[in-house]
Amino acid sequence: MRSVAWALGAFFAAGTVALFAESPAAAPRRYEDDLALLRRHLAVVELAAPEGAGRVAVVAAYQGRVMTSTVTGPEGWSLGWINEELISSGRTLAHMNPYGGEDRLWLGPEGGQFALFFEAQAPFDLEHWQTPPLVDTEPFEMVAGDSTHVVFRREAKLVNRAGFTFHLGIERTVRMLTRAQVRRHLGRDLPLDAKVVAFQTENRVTNLGETPWTKSRGLPSIWILGMFPPSPGATVVIPFEPGPASERGRVVNDAYFGKVPNERLVLGADALFFRGDGRHRSKIGIPPRRARPLCGSYDPDRRLLTLVQFSFDPKDTDYVNSMWEMQERPFDGDVVNSYNDGPPAPGAAPLGPFYELETSSPALALAPGRSHTHVHRTIHFEGDEAALGELARGTLGVSLAKIRGAFAD
């Protein structure tokens, strides 16, 4: 499957732009440094955790994007990946602008006969691939907010490859969460030794037109992508529903850029492990009959456990397919994705590097005036390994030892 990362990798490898870091071993950045960088170029809304030192930086010009966060305050680590070179350059790139951010809003599908990234009759190639400005370069309007939440809105029309016009309204709320709310969402007590910052985005899409959105004309989806700094030991963990392929189908789609090597993807009995080191370009996806409403990652170098929860109803099985081709099954897509960046070709610079945790809503078959909301919740824990291990076992169902040992030589 060709997708955004493939296209950008080829684009940058060709030497069109040179705005990206070359080393996958970049030192961790401090939150206050990234906040200062953003404020030099953009208007930033900073939200504060209701208790503790957690902070979140949000940018309206980037569609209400959560750029980064911190658990321990200004001098703590910056937990989102930010493209310093591109933001500082002031340039606007063709095709797509990867500014970074740990929660950004996109709309699917990318490819196929109902694509939002290709015009009618356009070939499925890089030259004709274009991210809709609505989710790339156009700002959202901030309409409400306080120290712990902010609300953005936008009304727009999008035309898909099949020629259908979606008249849609978007409302996006970024909301800080309390420790008690995190405990309730996870369904378990939090170790006292684990410090946390948590936020969620509530992404509501409404059909403002007079025509129902139907499969025959194509359906959109809400697509949330989080970009995070890689590290040599960072490992993505995605729990999945076990069971035979005859009942639930394949566990994972690991052929987005060619099959993922065994030393980079390990399947356990009910969870998979995927490297987030920024050293090998690869992507995986989990279909709806295997998905659970949780994924995460662990970075042993920072003692950082990240969890992502999201809206998911296992009765919903129609998810948009973003393959760059005319599709036999346009609603046979994935619920959860993870992307690991890396050089697109030998000797070429990586896109970031970074790794991603992504979630999607079902295909949105909305009648006029009806809405759908997709919630994407990001929770970062820092602490000692005993506390983080307790959280990993209670949420992801695996121990830190198993995560660390997934790719042991």
Side-chain angles (χ1 to χ4, degrees):
M1 176 189 287
R2 292 181 174 183
S3 68
V4 171
W6 176 90
L8 289 170
F11 189 54
F12 300 145
T16 307
V17 293
L19 296 171
F20 305 94
E22 296 186 1
S23 171
R29 296 174 61 92
R30 294 191 304 177
Y31 175 81
E32 62 184 356
D33 295 332
D34 276 345
L35 183 63
L37 162 70
L38 293 170
R39 283 179 166 164
R40 284 196 296 271
H41 303 281
L42 301 154
V44 179
V45 178
E46 188 180 29
L47 304 179
E51 71 253 332
R55 299 289 187 273
V56 164
V58 186
V59 173
Y62 296 162
Q63 306 83 48
R65 187 177 312 201
V66 177
M67 295 302 295
T68 191
S69 63
T70 181
V71 173
T72 55
E75 295 185 357
W77 286 317
S78 182
L79 301 179
W81 179 77
I82 291 180
N83 192 332
E84 178 180 6
E85 289 82 0
L86 178 57
I87 293 171
S88 299
S89 76
R91 294 181 58 184
T92 299
L93 306 180
H95 302 290
M96 181 261 195
N97 288 268
Y99 299 117
E102 58 178 304
D103 185 311
R104 78 176 190 269
L105 169 68
W106 269 15
L107 299 171
E110 184 183 348
Q113 52 266 52
F114 302 124
L116 295 176
F117 290 66
F118 291 91
E119 295 183 351
Q121 307 304 316
F124 291 111
D125 59 28
L126 178 62
E127 181 181 354
H128 296 87
W129 171 74
Q130 182 62 54
T131 307
L134 173 65
V135 293
D136 186 36
T137 56
E138 295 180 358
F140 282 19
E141 179 186 7
M142 190 177 82
V143 297
D146 56 25
S147 63
T148 63
H149 88 289
V150 62
V151 182
F152 302 92
R153 286 187 187 144
R154 183 66 194 270
E155 179 179 340
K157 292 184 178 180
L158 282 179
V159 181
N160 70 7
R161 182 184 172 90
F164 182 74
T165 299
F166 298 100
H167 184 188
L168 49 85
I170 300 173
E171 182 174 287
R172 175 170 162 87
T173 301
V174 182
R175 191 183 308 278
M176 301 296 290
L177 302 176
T178 66
R179 194 176 179 94
Q181 288 171 319
V182 172
R183 183 172 62 247
R184 185 168 67 252
H185 286 309
L186 295 179
R188 60 173 297 104
D189 291 334
L190 308 183
L192 294 177
D193 292 337
K195 298 178 181 179
V196 62
V197 65
F199 63 90
Q200 67 183 31
T201 60
E202 300 148 18
N203 305 275
R204 178 180 172 186
V205 169
T206 302
N207 180 355
L208 298 180
E210 299 179 353
T211 305
W213 297 351
T214 63
K215 282 185 173 182
S216 62
R217 301 183 181 99
L219 298 174
S221 70
I222 302 165
W223 185 6
I224 306 298
L225 305 93
M227 306 169 86
F228 303 98
S231 76
T235 300
V236 171
V237 182
I238 306 180
F240 60 83
E241 291 294 335
S246 59
E247 295 178 5
R248 293 189 176 273
R250 65 186 176 191
V251 170
V252 58
N253 175 8
D254 66 344
Y256 280 80
F257 310 128
K259 185 173 176 58
V260 179
N262 292 338
E263 63 270 19
R264 294 192 157 271
L265 175 64
V266 172
L267 267 64
D270 56 5
L272 63 79
F273 306 89
F274 180 58
R275 284 192 182 272
D277 59 1
R279 293 177 174 171
H280 181 86
R281 187 168 57 93
S282 49
K283 184 173 180 176
I284 58 173
I286 310 300
R289 289 182 176 83
R290 293 289 188 176
R292 292 178 175 175
L294 178 72
C295 60
S297 63
Y298 179 60
D299 182 344
D301 296 331
R302 303 183 195 183
R303 291 188 177 178
L304 173 68
L305 177 68
T306 297
L307 302 176
V308 170
Q309 291 183 311
F310 55 96
S311 304
F312 176 65
D313 185 339
K315 291 182 291 187
D316 292 326
T317 57
D318 289 331
Y319 284 77
V320 301
N321 186 341
S322 284
M323 291 182 68
W324 284 24
E325 63 186 24
M326 299 300 287
Q327 302 160 358
E328 293 183 7
R329 296 185 297 275
F331 302 101
D332 189 25
D334 294 322
V335 180
V336 184
N337 291 97
S338 182
Y339 168 71
N340 185 49
D341 193 33
L351 184 61
F354 54 84
Y355 71 92
E356 288 185 319
L357 297 174
E358 311 172 10
T359 74
S360 293
S361 76
L364 303 181
L366 298 178
R370 299 303 297 271
S371 302
H372 182 92
T373 300
H374 182 70
V375 177
H376 182 103
R377 182 177 302 121
T378 304
I379 307 168
H380 296 292
F381 291 102
E382 292 179 10
D384 60 39
E385 289 203 337
L388 298 184
E390 180 182 341
L391 284 164
R393 286 190 299 272
T395 56
L396 298 171
V398 295
S399 67
L400 291 189
K402 190 167 185 178
I403 297 173
R404 287 195 303 267
F407 301 106
D409 295 332

